[in-house]
């Protein structure tokens, strides 16, 4: 889990660095927004937002799966204990 968070932090840092380099290249903000059609910027924002949400919900889903697996493992261990007790009573 910590490894995923480190990777996510690294990706965000690289994105911020890329944006900073772009702005330091000499282009002004009005030129940025008038250099292309508005829908392209909306698509780029949508892609970034979609990627963020995919990572967020993948991590959340993985956490829920791990909790469910733990619960099922506990039920299995309880069944094994009961079977051992019954076997010991019979012998």
């Amino acid at each position: 889990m910590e490894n995923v968070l480190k990777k996510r932090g690294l990706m965000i840092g690289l994105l911020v660095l890329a944006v900073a380099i772009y702005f330091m290249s000499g282009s002004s903000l009005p030129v940025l927004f008038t250099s292309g059609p508005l829908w392209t910027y909306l698509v780029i924002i949508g892609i970034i937002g979609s990627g963020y949400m995919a990572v967020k919900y993948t991590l959340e889903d993985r956490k829920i799966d791990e909790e469910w697996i733990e619960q099922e493992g506990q039920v299995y261990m309880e069944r094994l204990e009961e079977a051992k007790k019954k076997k010991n009573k019979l012998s």
Side-chain angles (χ1 to χ4, degrees), residues 40-82:
T40 58
Y41 301 114
L42 295 176
V43 168
I44 292 170
I45 290 170
I47 290 170
I48 292 169
S50 176
Y52 172 76
M53 295 303 282
V55 169
K56 177 182 173 184
Y57 287 118
T58 299
L59 292 175
E60 186 177 311
D61 190 40
R62 187 174 296 159
K63 182 180 177 183
I64 291 170
D65 284 346
E66 287 175 4
E67 290 173 0
W68 183 79
I69 290 170
E70 253 183 61
Q71 289 174 352
E72 290 298 314
Q74 187 64 33
V75 169
Y76 179 72
M77 294 304 290
E78 289 172 3
R79 287 182 187 165
L80 285 178
E81 287 294 323
E82 289 175 13

Side-chain angles (χ1 to χ4, degrees), residues 3-65:
N3 193 18
V4 174
L5 293 176
K6 287 180 184 178
K7 285 182 182 178
R8 186 171 70 176
L10 178 65
M11 294 176 90
I12 291 172
L14 290 174
L15 180 64
V16 168
L17 181 64
V19 170
I21 289 172
Y22 178 79
F23 282 123
M24 294 171 86
S25 67
S27 298
S28 64
L29 198 57
V31 170
L32 172 68
F33 289 115
T34 59
S35 64
L38 179 62
W39 67 269
T40 58
Y41 301 114
L42 295 176
V43 168
I44 292 170
I45 290 170
I47 290 170
I48 292 169
S50 176
Y52 172 76
M53 295 303 282
V55 169
K56 177 182 173 184
Y57 287 118
T58 299
L59 292 175
E60 186 177 311
D61 190 40
R62 187 174 296 159
K63 182 180 177 183
I64 291 170
D65 284 346

